[in-house]
Amino acid sequence: MIELDRDAMTPMYVQLANVLRDRIRCGQIPVGRRLPSQSELEAETGGVVSRRTIKSALELLANEGLVQGVQGKGVFVIALPPAE
């Protein structure tokens, strides 16, 4: 289950991107593996986020060079985030 804080100052899509980035960093979602689909992520958040919010989180990770969408297959991890 993904816990997001609706009352936080950090936008929900950034919170979701942070959760996914942490999962990639710790190896829970390794390089080359597909991320959960938008509907799977929606279910994991208990339906509290819209598909647009999920899409924004995935776009943020793509802009960071961590994931890449493959038409008809999903979004895949292509790189590890830099160490903090």
Side-chain angles (χ1 to χ4, degrees), residues 35-78:
L35 289 178
S37 68
Q38 288 188 12
S39 58
E40 290 168 335
L41 287 171
E42 190 175 16
E44 246 193 286
T45 61
V48 300
V49 297
S50 69
R51 294 235 175 164
R52 179 67 211 148
T53 299
I54 294 167
K55 189 170 175 9
S56 294
L58 296 176
E59 287 171 356
L60 180 61
L61 295 175
N63 290 339
E64 293 175 8
L66 302 180
V67 300
Q68 181 176 18
V70 177
Q71 185 68 33
K73 296 204 180 235
V75 178
F76 291 81
V77 177
I78 58 171

Side-chain angles (χ1 to χ4, degrees), residues 9 23 43 45 62 69 72:
M9 288 185 63
R23 287 183 177 183
T45 61

